[in-house]
Amino acid sequence: MEVCGISNVTLRDFSCEQSLLSRPDGSSSFMQGDTSVLAGVYGPAEVKVSKEIYDRATLEVLIQPKVGLPSVKERSQEQNVRETCEASLLLSLHPRSSLTLVLQVLHDDGSLLSCFLNAACMALMDAGLPMSCLFCGVTCAIAVDGEIITDPTAAQEKECRALLTFAIDSKKCRVMMSSTKGSFSVQELQQCIAISQKASEKIFQFYRDSVQRRYSKNL
Amino acid sequence: MQIEISPNVFVQRLDGRQTYDYRRIKVSFGADYGCCFVELGETRVMAQVSCELVAPKESRPNEGILFFNIELSPMASPAFEAGRQSELSVKLNRQLERCLRNSKCIDTESLCVVSGEKVWQIRVDVHLLNHDGNLMDAASIAAITALSHFRRPDVSSVGEEITVFSPEERDPIPLCIYHMPISVSFSFFQQGTYLLVDPCEREERVMDGLLMIAMNKHREICSIQSSGGIMLLKEQVMRCSKIASVKVSEINELISKALENDKRARKAGERCGYAASLPRGRITALKMDETLVDMTTVMDTAKEIIQEAAVPSEPSSAKHTRAASPVVPAPGVGQVGLGLENSWGLEEDVDEEDEGKGEEEPQMEEQHHERKPRRGVDVVEISDSEEEEVVILHP
């Protein structure tokens, strides 16, 4: 267990486009390899009386699968994304209002939850909502032989023994959310967290580059 | 702005188009078969086709089933609510069914595997991603393009046995499509005085009536629908159908070109899909190539954290020598509070108190028991209520 092979630690090619939809207040599409997610944010807008919270904004996250209606799996992913966004957004600045984040799966080729988180963060940034920090999602898969793979594809996800997704914040690289499947040891958990923190630096650099490009005067 | 009544006169629209102009149409495909993205100006639609083996309808035992579902995602417009069938979604769904199912453009008989037992159900999910008017045209283009792009797995039936082959074993089969109906929308203003093709969202808000004509490239009308309660003259409908035939042939050409391009790219083994079609050179888009993450310090950090972390204190129940195990009186019977040791770290005197409480309990129940009949006597109205029938079991 001590000599655990960490060789496949690469992130697939990333790409992102912001404000590509005209209707939402903020939108983004985020691609990790072939996995693609489209995100749209509306808000701060008027809130339904039944959902009103007197001291902060109500955040609603909706995940739309590609085929059929949202099921239990989508609901649980919605909750993971919502709790991460709630932790980073400064919701108390917009009391009694609503924020809606809609995520549409365009293609699932593994690491979908981390792609949701990245797309959500880019869309929130595009909407110009005040946040205390940025966040990103990193998925790690532990193969049967103990090898750790970051940003796995769907085929790698199917073969792995455990799958861990973390949301990492940009300020201190702390873990904001974790979602795990399968069994793993404490050492493996700590290794995965450490890898995710390292990988998050790359993603935050990508965020920074894309925002810098967006507000630059020339291409 | 001066607008003349005659349709030939130059009419300036909000986005600078002419009366009969369509907005820019872009058709692209996803990585899977049967996934199509359509952009009609700012309106964006995604269609995904999927298939499943099901039992056929009793009335049509040797025909496959076509199912359409238009999803008005709240991403498209804040007015759309998730998971609710609105009037608009029912209208669009019905119109799409009339356009594609009732026109018999897809051979449903070829979707039969075993007559009366197993047929393919083809499901078309249309997701509206951005609503900027003329959803119907965008949805119809996306749906028919996705259907022509789709490949279903090959099947073989020997006697009772049905084998579905994976794409690796046998090449998937395209659907049999006879013709491609495409819907063209016309909006009317001021009781039919003005006519505009492909209305955008702002034009749709102020229009008086809408005429949707679904037509194929052979100039056959597949469905025609007028809504908004506007009276149209025969000449107006004829003129619209003529415009529609021109537009449909243009769009048809665009679709077949897009399908051909995709086929060529797939054959050549190029990377296709949404991720590959990201527009380059846009200031809002950025791409980063595959990157290696520096892992030199990871193992040390992980080890450090584990060493630093205090050894978790043993649960208090571990101190007891007597191993606790739950008592099961009979298979399938569970009971709370029996058998297992209390591990809530209670002090000994608390334990005593607990025992005391145990003694108290029957007394309380007795009191309760005594109170019951009294109430039944006092209050006549509830004498026949269920409350009297409550039986209290003594421990």
Side-chain angles (χ1 to χ4, degrees), chain A residues 9-11 13-18 21-23 31 33-34 42 65-66 68 107 198 202 210 213 219, chain B residues 32 44 48 74-75 78 127 130-131 271 278 281-288 290-293 295 297:
Chain A
V9 185
T10 53
L11 297 170
D13 50 320
F14 279 82
S15 42
C16 170
E17 188 179 355
Q18 279 185 310
L21 302 178
S22 68
R23 290 301 294 269
M31 278 75 80
D34 274 333
Y42 285 98
K66 221 175 167 192
H107 187 75
K198 276 278 174 195
K202 297 271 176 194
S210 74
R213 179 185 162 94
L219 278 175
Chain B
D32 309 326
R44 266 179 189 242
Q48 171 72 55
M75 193 194 293
H127 297 274
N130 198 38
H131 174 24
R271 208 176 141 196
L278 182 84
R282 236 183 238 183
I283 203 161
T284 49
L286 184 67
K287 190 175 169 10
M288 184 173 76
E290 191 172 307
T291 45
L292 253 162
V293 182
M295 281 302 124
T297 55

Side-chain angles (χ1 to χ4, degrees), chain B residues 177-249:
Chain B
I177 294 173
Y178 295 131
H179 58 95
M180 293 168 87
I182 285 156
S183 153
V184 178
S185 301
F186 302 88
S187 56
F188 292 93
F189 300 85
Q190 294 191 4
Q191 298 308 310
T193 330
Y194 302 108
L195 175 151
L196 294 179
V197 176
D198 181 26
C200 68
E201 202 256 343
R202 285 183 183 185
E203 288 163 348
E204 271 185 359
R205 276 199 216 175
V206 293
M207 71 187 174
D208 292 330
L210 185 70
L211 181 72
M212 290 189 263
I213 300 179
M215 199 187 260
N216 61 21
K217 66 175 173 188
H218 313 298
R219 298 175 144 219
E220 292 163 334
I221 291 177
C222 299
S223 90
I224 186 160
Q225 159 117 8
S226 155
S227 57
I230 188 170
M231 316 290 181
L232 292 173
L233 296 169
K234 192 178 120 197
E235 288 78 37
Q236 282 175 311
V237 179
M238 291 306 288
R239 197 170 78 209
C240 288
S241 70
K242 267 182 201 146
I243 300 165
S245 72
V246 176
K247 295 292 165 202
V248 165
S249 64

